Amino acid sequence: MSVPTRRTLPLILIRGFGGFNTDDEKRVAYQGFNNGTVYPQKRGENYIYEGLILRLMKSSWRYHDATNVVGYYSNRVTEPALIPEALKHFNPEFFSGDKVVIDPAMALHLIKTIEDLRHTFWVFRYYDLNDRTFETYGQALVRLIDFIRELAVDKNGTRPKVNIIAHSMGGLLVREAVQCTYPDSNRKAEDYINKIVTLGTPHQGVTFQIFKDWIGIQAEKEFEHFSPEFQADENNRASYKHFQDHFPLDRLLTVVGTNYRSYSITPAIMLNRVFSAGGEFGSNYNRSDGLVKQAFAQIPGAPRTFVHKCHGGIDSLITARESFEVATRFFFGNVRVRLRFVQGKITRGQDLFGKSEFFLGVSIKPRRVDFELFHQSAEAENCYGPFRNVDFSDRNIAFPWADDNKLIWEGYLNTLPIINDESITTKDMVMRLDFYIGERDLFGIGFSDNLIFRKHYYVRALLSPNLKLYLHTGEEFALDEFQPSKEQEMRIVADGWEFDVVGTGFEGTFGIEIERVPEEGQPEPLTEEKAT
């Protein structure tokens, strides 16, 4: 079985779309991945997020644009290509005989100007093929991956895997390649693809199926993949239920958007409220990014994170810095962290009349930046619950824990910039945890408190010489000559560390598990005795 890596690998970007045709998408060179977001009144790194393309090129990974090396055509390229001597060792079928071909001149330029072709990104322009069938898309993606691996082969003859970031429908066609195209050629996708990040992909479909009528009859076969019935059918090999049979779930990260209010297509917002998913209590909730339900943007068992952005447009999953930060940590992070709910109790609230329900949520933000790695809030409608019992012991809740052991968040972090920066004398990493407990009366006849508990805590990991975790209620750790007290040190338990969250209305215990991610292979438990 192939193993994952956090080394720099070629990166493929795949955009989704939705419209009567693909003309607009064909006119856009980078499919919107070059669009960023400006945050007024901010400074420095928090002021302008210049978009995924530029951020990759300006990052420490020093990615290079290789998009125009491959051409995508509506008709097969039949004339033989003029292949330079330096490319004669490549398979000549890469340069002609298909709708997806390498341009010899651009490939030669790439090879001559870039020392390590693993540091390249590629935009997969499947729209240009005009076929609008998933079978064609899957074959074209696999062909592109073969191209990239052949071009990026190192001096030892090793062909790298690729990483993929796919938005919306782009994630569905990645699954087509993983679940259908590779198996049809007796190959395993995990031998060719390292990790996948999907942004707002409707893995389990779109709840309102009049959506296909907006697209036109020409795309009817294509858009059957958006049907919840299609995706839930276990007899259908393209169903999300079979993804785990062909690719390791821990190498897929589903990024789930939660801000339906900022989505520009108003009818979709309305329809997501009318066509609710199971357990949403009808129009009481709109748990979506405007187009895709939060629950449907996930594959059970795969890591997921919530970003308070809408499906597409300005400041969306495509243009938000959060997407870049979450995705790159998943690809390159050297630490995996899990936050779990251990036990807790609500100590106030609960209507005597009506039907009280409680929700628990946490938002997680690194120090000194204005982006979150994980977001839960009443506005996002994505907190765990509803719970009827004040000790959160309910079973089969509508918005369940991330696993069977009350997992709240699983994420990746990168401590290497801190460890390797000689100007940083105190090697620590700090994350702000924003805890929220809310209550609402489902029937609207009681006197709910709404906000039962909310409080910020700061989890500080002292990375060197040995790993130690501390809990703070303020930012006193930022003061010169600060020394933590023994009371601020977290309790060490069998699986990691525990800490208490206490205040008016709530008292609870939470656990943190930390694993080291090697350059090659699966994560390994990290304890206090092991230096980072």
Side-chain angles (χ1 to χ4, degrees):
M1 180 179 294
S2 72
V3 297
T5 179
R6 58 177 173 85
R7 299 179 189 274
T8 305
L9 297 174
L11 177 62
I12 300 176
L13 308 176
I14 310 175
R15 179 68 187 268
F17 74 91
F20 290 104
N21 56 53
T22 60
D23 291 345
D24 289 341
E25 285 81 4
K26 292 177 182 179
R27 286 190 284 264
V28 180
Y30 293 102
Q31 308 292 284
F33 286 108
N34 56 318
N35 295 329
T37 304
V38 176
Y39 299 95
Q41 312 305 318
K42 304 297 182 182
R43 293 185 178 183
E45 190 178 10
N46 295 320
Y47 175 33
I48 292 178
Y49 168 64
E50 58 272 61
L52 187 64
I53 296 293
L54 278 177
R55 186 56 68 98
L56 285 169
M57 297 172 73
K58 294 166 67 174
S59 71
S60 60
W61 304 291
R62 291 288 187 269
Y63 270 91
H64 300 268
D65 180 10
T67 296
N68 59 3
V69 173
V70 178
Y72 305 83
Y73 303 97
S74 58
N75 297 306
R76 293 172 65 89
V77 177
T78 56
E79 63 272 15
L82 182 61
I83 304 176
E85 190 64 34
L87 302 179
K88 291 288 188 181
H89 61 287
F90 288 105
N91 187 338
E93 294 181 358
F94 286 173
F95 302 96
S96 65
D98 199 277
K99 291 183 178 182
V100 183
V101 297
I102 293 177
D103 182 285
M106 297 311 302
L108 183 61
H109 176 74
L110 184 73
I111 292 172
K112 286 185 175 181
T113 57
I114 300 177
E115 181 178 354
D116 189 346
L117 271 71
R118 292 175 301 176
H119 296 252
T120 51
F121 66 81
W122 311 67
V123 176
F124 180 46
R125 297 181 58 86
Y126 63 96
Y127 312 108
D128 298 355
L129 304 177
N130 278 356
D131 285 31
R132 303 198 71 171
T133 67
F134 268 75
E135 182 179 8
T136 298
Y137 298 155
Q139 292 171 354
L141 178 57
V142 168
R143 183 172 170 85
L144 173 63
I145 293 172
D146 287 343
F147 289 170
I148 295 171
R149 285 166 47 84
E150 196 66 31
L151 288 170
V153 63
D154 64 21
K155 60 183 179 181
N156 297 319
T158 302
R159 292 165 177 78
K161 299 174 188 175
V162 300
N163 287 325
I164 297 176
I165 297 177
H167 168 252
S168 193
M169 177 178 154
L172 296 181
L173 69 90
V174 175
R175 281 184 33 217
E176 174 74 15
V178 169
Q179 296 177 227
C180 301
T181 312
Y182 275 115
D184 285 347
S185 59
N186 294 317
R187 295 192 286 176
K188 293 183 178 180
E190 65 183 273
D191 294 330
Y192 302 87
I193 301 172
N194 179 52
K195 292 182 179 180
I196 302 166
V197 173
T198 61
L199 309 174
T201 290
H203 288 292
Q204 300 185 45
V206 174
T207 53
F208 49 94
Q209 282 306 291
I210 61 172
F211 175 69
K212 68 180 181 181
D213 297 328
W214 299 359
I215 307 302
I217 194 67
Q218 63 169 325
E220 184 174 354
K221 286 293 291 181
E222 178 184 52
F223 274 84
E224 70 179 3
H225 287 70
F226 288 79
S227 165
E229 291 76 19
F230 177 93
Q231 289 294 342
D233 184 1
E234 294 188 358
N235 295 319
N236 167 26
R237 67 173 185 158
S239 164
Y240 76 90
K241 294 184 176 182
H242 296 302
F243 180 82
Q244 63 181 344
D245 300 332
H246 302 282
F247 197 80
L249 285 177
D250 62 351
R251 285 160 58 177
L252 166 70
L253 172 65
T254 59
V255 180
V256 182
T258 64
N259 192 2
Y260 68 87
R261 295 174 179 86
S262 64
Y263 192 47
S264 60
I265 303 178
T266 304
I269 297 174
M270 297 172 59
L271 288 167
N272 258 319
R273 190 173 290 280
V274 173
F275 292 86
S276 60
E280 284 190 344
F281 303 107
S283 60
N284 284 300
Y285 300 96
N286 187 349
R287 291 174 172 149
S288 75
D289 62 9
L291 178 63
V292 181
K293 288 288 188 182
Q294 296 172 18
F296 285 13
Q298 308 173 40
I299 291 183
R304 57 96 189 276
T305 196
F306 297 111
V307 173
H308 198 46
K309 303 294 178 182
C310 65
H311 187 78
I314 299 174
D315 199 22
S316 66
L317 289 170
I318 284 289
T319 65
R321 182 183 174 190
E322 284 87 342
S323 298
F324 171 84
E325 299 290 348
V326 168
T328 53
R329 280 167 171 76
F330 182 64
F331 291 146
F332 309 119
N334 67 327
V335 173
R336 183 166 72 180
V337 182
R338 293 188 176 98
L339 175 68
R340 295 188 187 276
F341 174 75
V342 178
Q343 63 181 2
K345 184 178 181 180
I346 294 172
T347 58
R348 73 179 179 93
Q350 195 169 35
D351 293 335
L352 296 177
F353 305 98
K355 191 173 184 180
S356 288
E357 54 185 21
F358 305 102
F359 295 90
L360 182 150
V362 183
S363 292
I364 300 173
K365 172 183 173 296
R367 175 173 51 174
R368 298 196 185 101
V369 296
D370 285 335
F371 66 85
E372 294 175 320
L373 298 178
F374 185 78
H375 177 93
Q376 288 182 303
S377 67
E379 294 76 22
E381 300 185 12
N382 67 333
C383 297
Y384 294 112
F387 299 97
R388 306 279 184 258
N389 302 324
V390 295
D391 62 354
F392 302 95
S393 60
D394 308 54
R395 297 177 180 271
N396 301 318
I397 55 177
F399 210 95
W401 304 105
D403 71 2
D404 294 334
N405 195 20
K406 298 180 180 178
L407 175 65
I408 295 175
W409 170 69
E410 174 182 292
Y412 286 73
L413 304 174
N414 189 9
T415 65
L416 294 178
I418 300 171
I419 297 296
N420 297 331
D421 190 339
E422 295 181 358
S423 67
I424 300 176
T425 55
T426 302
K427 305 294 185 180
D428 66 349
M429 175 176 281
V430 179
M431 307 293 288
R432 190 193 76 187
L433 274 58
D434 181 0
F435 289 92
Y436 163 85
I437 308 292
E439 178 184 13
R440 65 175 287 169
D441 191 310
L442 184 61
F443 296 152
I445 61 175
F447 299 92
S448 296
D449 292 314
N450 292 323
L451 179 62
I452 288 181
F453 173 86
R454 186 172 185 181
K455 192 173 182 179
H456 288 169
Y457 283 87
Y458 296 87
V459 174
R460 178 173 179 254
L462 190 62
L463 305 175
S464 174
N466 292 319
L467 180 64
K468 287 184 178 293
L469 265 63
Y470 299 91
L471 186 71
H472 303 277
T473 56
E475 298 186 55
E476 64 274 9
F477 51 81
L479 299 174
D480 293 336
E481 307 302 326
F482 169 78
Q483 293 295 326
S485 65
K486 187 66 177 178
E487 291 72 24
Q488 292 170 323
E489 189 171 341
M490 289 190 189
R491 299 187 298 275
I492 299 176
V493 294
D495 297 326
W497 293 261
E498 286 186 356
F499 62 95
D500 297 323
V501 171
V502 179
T504 302
F506 175 73
E507 53 189 38
T509 301
F510 294 82
I512 293 179
E513 301 164 7
I514 301 179
E515 295 174 310
R516 170 183 170 271
V517 180
E519 283 197 339
E520 303 279 345
Q522 297 294 336
E524 307 163 347
L526 193 61
T527 63
E528 186 184 43
E529 289 74 25
K530 293 182 180 179
T532 302

